[in-house]
Amino acid sequence: MNLVQMLEALNQRWKLLVRLFLLVLALLVVIDAIPALVDKEKAHTAMELLPGFWSVYGFISCVLIVYVSKWFGDIGIMRREDFYDD
Amino acid sequence: MTDLWIHPALILLLGAALLPLIPERVRPGYLLLVPILVFARVHTMAPGTYGEVPFLSWTLTFGRVDALASVFGYIMALMAIIGTLYALKVKKKGEFAAAWVYVAGSLGAIYAGDLITLFVFWEMMAFSSVFLIWFRGRKESLEAGFRYLLVHAAGGVSLLAGILLYSRGAENLAFVGFNVQSPGLGEWLILIGFMLNAAVPPLHAWLPDGYGEATFSGAVFLCAFTTKTAVYALARGFAGLEILIWLGVIMALYGVVYAVLENDSRRLLAYHIISQVGYMVAGVGIGTQLAINGVCAHAFAHILYKGLLFMGCGAVLHMTGQSKFTELGGLYRKMPWTFVFTLIGGLSISAFPLFSGFVSKAMTVQAGFDEHMLWAAFLLMLASAGTFLHTGLKVPYFIWFGKNNCKPETWERAADPPWNMNAAMAITAALCIFIGVYTPYLYDMLPYPTDYNPYTSYHLSETMQLLLFTMLGFFLLLKKLEPKAAIAVDTDWFYRRGGQFFYRAADKGLNGLNQTGDKLAMRRLPSSLTRFFAKPGAHLQWLLLRPFVRGGEGEIAQVRESIDRRSRHGSYPVGTSVLLSVLFLSLMSLLFFLF
């Protein structure tokens, strides 16, 4: 099976991939909550001791970046492609 | 000079000079041989000080080889090989010559032991790299190149002015750490020169502007050398300067914000250079041994993964003629290998475990946490999420999957690139993974000894959560991230629009002044003077008497007429003449007695 067929095959099993991905997400939080698996001695602050802290942080970061950037673009930063042409 | 010591930059300069004489048949071999020789030379240089030349009252030092210089020299020489391999089939010989002189400038600056030598090589970089933009040949490239050159010339002037001011107080011009506790004006100007090349906002807009317009192969060189030479210079001169921490954090976030808005894949990558160099600038600001190690490691890893990303998007541009997301999409069927390599670059820059960014970025962030700079460290983590969002997800998704926006001719042309480009990408991708898997390779090269281990359970858990939940956010917000055919205005507005305004102001203002002057001095004034002097007596009388004349138009005309007539014939009543004479004499007498 060549590379294109592999990518096609993955593309066709999109739903399965999504389910696997959600499972991995859940597992990550669960693993983070088990002290025997994740040694939190290396944590830098107290709030990082909460299970799944970085999951929440990552998700909020992503949402924040998208919304703040879009707002920033809408206040006059985004222009037509020929803005500088005249 | 003590004994014969060959500067690696010299090999490149000679190689570039001889390039036009090399026959077509052996040219590919020659093109690869020169950078390989340079790499071998860099690799075999023992620590020490070489190439000292007395010049006026100073000593120029061309070869200061120490741990900090070596790690930068090593990766830059390596990138010269990869970049040349990638560009191997480019027809224009001038592009290789420009690229090699550019790399020579970079290596020269890295090994420079004094500020004068540093400045000379610094300028060499600016004046050679601009050709990598101009060779694209588009009108936009020409304009972007001029802007790039002007901005860098301004930065160079600031650097030179700083060096001159600094030289008055300093014993010699050795390029060593500056006084970061209380920098003088000279040091600040030097810092501005360095920061311009490091693309620290607001001195950064030349970067996406220039790199987005460069040739497909030129951008691979550009992304590696200018900013990383500046990072080296900052690490050498300004380690521990606190303001750099905050500037670095701002940079890291700035690039991320603009990347959301960007429609051109290579400009998006350019904004992420700013973001990634932000980590390095912040690391320089923190200035601890771990932080400086992190800076060097991240610069090393960055040159490879950013080169790889520019090679991937460059291949798309080269093969399809398009680099905008709104003109691409669904290309995984046509360019699968380019996709895989670009994805590896994306995972590396995003600091995925087992990829190069994971082992390098973490050092800087860890140094921030160690120094209890929690805000800075947390914001850098936020920027990490943004990096994965764009370079790891947005770029691959909207070029290779997503909605297929390709025109028929784009689709027709799309295919994996020639063998040399694939080979360059494959080697770089392999190196990215190698660095991520076998940490001693990179860590042993760093300026300070380190026992840092990125593969702790906590760091792994932290990174995987951060990245995969960012991925969740990406797919949930996919609609919002759909590319739009628009441009985002950046600080280059000031010199682009400013230039237009200046031109118009000069046109309206100066030309207007010219016209008014012409109208007044050349046309109006002579004719009115002529009219006045035709009958000066009558005009003077009329001017004096005009306020006292009352009556209708007919009467006024009558008075005017009588004044004219009298003045023409010189016939005034005797009484008037006597009255005027008496008045005049009284005035004179009064003045005489008073003064």
Side-chain angles (χ1 to χ4, degrees), chain A residues 8 11 21 32 37 39 44 48 52 54-55 57 62 65 69-70 77-81 83-84 86, chain B residues 256-257 260-261 324 332-333 369 378 457-458 461 465 468-469 480 486-489 493 496-497 500:
Chain A
E8 292 268 16
N11 210 8
F21 173 63
D32 194 53
L37 290 176
D39 171 18
H44 326 285
E48 288 168 72
W54 287 107
S55 305
Y57 191 82
C62 174
I65 288 168
S69 308
K70 281 278 165 191
I77 293 297
M78 293 300 280
R79 296 282 165 158
R80 293 186 333 271
E81 280 185 307
F83 177 64
Y84 286 119
D86 47 34
Chain B
V256 164
V257 166
V260 175
L261 307 172
K324 288 179 185 162
Y332 75 93
R333 284 194 200 88
F369 277 121
F378 272 111
S457 62
Y458 183 68
S461 169
Q465 289 182 64
L468 291 188
F469 274 86
K480 280 231 143 220
I487 60 165
V489 175
W493 184 89
R496 284 197 187 201
R497 277 291 187 226
Q500 288 175 352

Side-chain angles (χ1 to χ4, degrees), chain B residues 544-565:
Chain B
L544 286 172
L545 292 175
R546 176 72 189 82
F548 306 106
V549 179
R550 295 272 178 277
E553 263 181 46
E555 285 166 59
I556 292 174
Q558 222 174 2
V559 178
R560 182 93 219 235
E561 169 58 25
S562 79
I563 288 174
D564 270 4
R565 201 178 50 238

